[in-house]
Amino acid sequence: MKVFVFGATGSIGKNFFSLLKYFPEIKPVGIQAHKNEKKLIKIKRKYHIKKAFLTGERVESKEISSNKENLLEFVMSKQVDVVLFGASGTELADIFIEILSSGKKICMANKEIIIAFGEIIKKKKGNNLLPVDSEHSSIFRIIKNLEKKEIKKIFLTASGGPFYNLKKTELKKIKKEEALKHPRWKMGEKITVDSATLINKGFEVIETHYLFDIEPERIDVLYHPESKVHGIVLLKDGTYISHIGETDMRIPILYALFYPEQREFRIRKKFYENLNFSEIKKEKRKLIDLCFKALKDKKGKPAFLIGADEALVNLFLKGKILFTDIEKILLKIYKKAPEFNDEKFEEVKKAIETGKKYVYEELKWFSQ
Ligand code: NDP
Ligand code: MG
């Protein structure tokens, strides 16, 4: 299996490469990263990878290229069987949509693109799009043999992140290092902060809608601190199906790569520790509810949120704003968000940029 890996230098990339020793039939033939040239070259040499692309810088050398046309040409060629899309952000949305439209199999970890460009993607996708986000991978496994009318509700589980039980006054003092310590998953910085504010779960609601074409009224979120059950589906006859697995991203990556086949991969841990579920506390739901609202409002609102949240998380990571400012500013600027035609690519890009712009405008006002 010849694989092209977007986001090879990140956390999804790391999980992918750690699968290679178990599955010699997986052959990485191409890799992409944004700016980390050193690490990209290291990976290229270590795994004897044919092509490496750095899309966030201008480089042209024997080992690395930043030419996006060449990248696309290579990915679309017969030299690549499967794409693992683990690059973050929305900058490569055009490339993603081209690959998706070509019918090539694409295992999708990135959620920002699905959320922001959902209205465009839903018309282009066939069954070549496989979810890698753990909750969506679980839901996919559960519903793939169900008819849509049999599904009453889809529940996504939320670990709650590291601060679920902290009060607002305590949250204000949160430092970057604390926000980057997720209790269950080891992931990139942006998604880890998103998990701590719980907007990640709201984003995953929107992602669920666009991946599985399920209305927002039929999606809900549950607090499940052990992160063992990743998805639950309520059926028409009142019974539930859930999927249990370790918190290990290699599992959904492996499943998507080989789907419809399943490979042997044993993580020998117990699944029968105490499993707890409850509704998400009201005061922790604010950003989840905002995402539900954006999904219902549509008209570029999910893209606006993606842009605004990206800007805010960056500012928090740079120590420029408080942890609690992320929620506060998102709730505030959303009210002023303009409408965009979400079926047009350029308009969605504008919605994302507008989200970022509103954050900076709001902060200027803040500091006066
Ligand atoms: P990381 O921050 O660890 O890695 C991001 C990767 O994307 C790096 O290879 C980085 O390259 C590249 N990248 C960064 N910015 C851009 C950009 N503007 N354009 C193109 N590529 C870029 O993130 P994760 O691996 O944690 O997450 C990747 C994606 O997968 C995200 O969309 C995330 O939401 C999703 N996801 C991740 C999970 C996880 O367990 N990590 C779980 C579920 C979803 P460079 O190193 O050069 O900056
Ligand atoms: Mg997830």
Side-chain angles (χ1 to χ4, degrees), residues 7 9-12 32 34-36 86 88 91 112 133 188 249:
T9 50
S11 151
I12 292 289
Q32 174 275 347
H34 186 54
K35 291 198 162 158
N36 197 340
S88 55
E91 255 174 67
E112 298 91 335
D133 202 349
M249 282 310 288

Side-chain angles (χ1 to χ4, degrees), residues 191-296:
I191 186 174
T192 306
V193 176
D194 282 347
S195 299
T197 63
L198 269 93
I199 198 170
N200 180 53
K201 213 44 63 180
F203 283 159
E204 291 184 350
V205 168
I206 307 178
E207 190 186 3
T208 301
H209 168 75
Y210 285 118
L211 286 174
F212 307 123
D213 191 23
I214 297 281
E215 314 86 89
E217 295 74 20
R218 285 205 280 171
I219 308 172
D220 209 343
V221 176
L222 279 178
Y223 175 54
H224 169 48
E226 294 83 15
S227 287
K228 286 274 164 91
V229 174
H230 307 292
I232 306 169
V233 174
L234 169 61
L235 304 173
K236 209 169 137 184
D237 67 357
T239 60
Y240 294 82
I241 305 179
S242 69
H243 184 244
I244 303 177
E246 279 305 316
T247 46
D248 186 330
M249 282 310 288
R250 291 177 304 174
I251 298 168
I253 293 172
L254 184 68
Y255 183 75
L257 286 175
F258 282 102
Y259 181 81
E261 273 178 46
Q262 207 182 115
R263 289 296 150 114
E264 188 132 344
F265 189 56
R266 294 222 192 136
I267 299 172
R268 293 169 200 272
K269 286 187 191 160
K270 289 180 190 154
F271 74 88
Y272 47 87
E273 64 176 304
N274 281 337
L275 297 180
N276 294 281
F277 301 90
S278 58
E279 283 181 12
I280 307 260
K281 285 190 224 165
K282 207 165 160 238
E283 70 271 23
K284 298 281 170 180
R285 269 198 77 108
K286 286 184 187 157
L287 291 181
I288 297 175
D289 289 338
L290 186 66
C291 288
F292 267 107
K293 180 160 172 38
L295 177 57
K296 289 176 188 162

Side-chain angles (χ1 to χ4, degrees), residues 135-364:
E135 296 77 2
H136 305 77
S137 174
S138 278
I139 298 291
F140 177 78
R141 290 191 195 228
I142 298 172
I143 69 173
K144 69 180 166 40
N145 295 320
L146 294 174
E147 280 183 50
K148 216 187 266 166
K149 59 176 193 239
E150 294 176 291
I151 303 167
K152 202 112 185 119
K153 203 154 211 171
I154 288 179
F155 292 92
L156 303 170
T157 53
S159 73
F163 314 130
Y164 192 73
N165 292 314
L166 295 191
K167 297 202 183 68
K168 202 155 188 183
T169 45
E170 296 169 302
L171 285 177
K172 281 194 173 159
K173 297 178 207 141
I174 296 299
K175 295 267 162 343
K176 171 183 165 179
E177 293 69 31
E178 298 166 278
L180 291 178
K181 271 190 214 135
H182 193 283
R184 301 281 165 194
W185 298 94
K186 178 123 195 40
M187 309 177 286
E189 292 192 346
K190 159 76 169 39
I191 186 174
T192 306
V193 176
D194 282 347
S195 299
T197 63
L198 269 93
I199 198 170
N200 180 53
K201 213 44 63 180
F203 283 159
E204 291 184 350
V205 168
I206 307 178
E207 190 186 3
T208 301
H209 168 75
Y210 285 118
L211 286 174
F212 307 123
D213 191 23
I214 297 281
E215 314 86 89
E217 295 74 20
R218 285 205 280 171
I219 308 172
D220 209 343
V221 176
L222 279 178
Y223 175 54
H224 169 48
E226 294 83 15
S227 287
K228 286 274 164 91
V229 174
H230 307 292
I232 306 169
V233 174
L234 169 61
L235 304 173
K236 209 169 137 184
D237 67 357
T239 60
Y240 294 82
I241 305 179
S242 69
H243 184 244
I244 303 177
E246 279 305 316
T247 46
D248 186 330
M249 282 310 288
R250 291 177 304 174
I251 298 168
I253 293 172
L254 184 68
Y255 183 75
L257 286 175
F258 282 102
Y259 181 81
E261 273 178 46
Q262 207 182 115
R263 289 296 150 114
E264 188 132 344
F265 189 56
R266 294 222 192 136
I267 299 172
R268 293 169 200 272
K269 286 187 191 160
K270 289 180 190 154
F271 74 88
Y272 47 87
E273 64 176 304
N274 281 337
L275 297 180
N276 294 281
F277 301 90
S278 58
E279 283 181 12
I280 307 260
K281 285 190 224 165
K282 207 165 160 238
E283 70 271 23
K284 298 281 170 180
R285 269 198 77 108
K286 286 184 187 157
L287 291 181
I288 297 175
D289 289 338
L290 186 66
C291 288
F292 267 107
K293 180 160 172 38
L295 177 57
K296 289 176 188 162
D297 291 346
K298 296 209 167 152
K299 304 209 167 102
K301 301 291 168 84
F304 177 91
L305 275 186
I306 287 286
D309 179 62
E310 188 185 312
L312 285 163
V313 172
N314 275 334
L315 290 167
F316 168 69
L317 290 173
K318 284 183 187 146
K320 300 234 155 75
I321 57 169
L322 298 178
F323 179 75
T324 43
D325 288 336
I326 301 176
E327 181 182 279
K328 191 161 122 192
I329 295 173
L330 281 172
L331 291 171
K332 187 161 180 205
I333 63 174
Y334 185 86
K335 295 193 185 121
K336 302 182 265 183
E339 294 184 349
F340 294 90
N341 180 348
D342 51 18
E343 287 171 25
K344 295 220 157 69
F345 187 83
E346 288 305 320
E347 286 275 307
V348 176
K349 273 173 65 176
K350 247 190 243 167
I352 296 169
E353 287 315 309
T354 307
K356 293 183 188 173
K357 202 176 87 193
Y358 276 33
V359 165
Y360 300 126
E361 280 174 9
E362 185 63 30
L363 283 165
K364 242 187 276 159

Side-chain angles (χ1 to χ4, degrees), residues 53-70:
F53 297 90
L54 197 69
T55 50
E57 302 277 0
R58 277 181 170 272
V59 277
E60 214 57 55
S61 71
K62 237 172 77 189
E63 287 192 287
I64 290 191
S65 161
S66 60
N67 186 317
K68 283 196 187 166
E69 275 108 62
N70 291 352

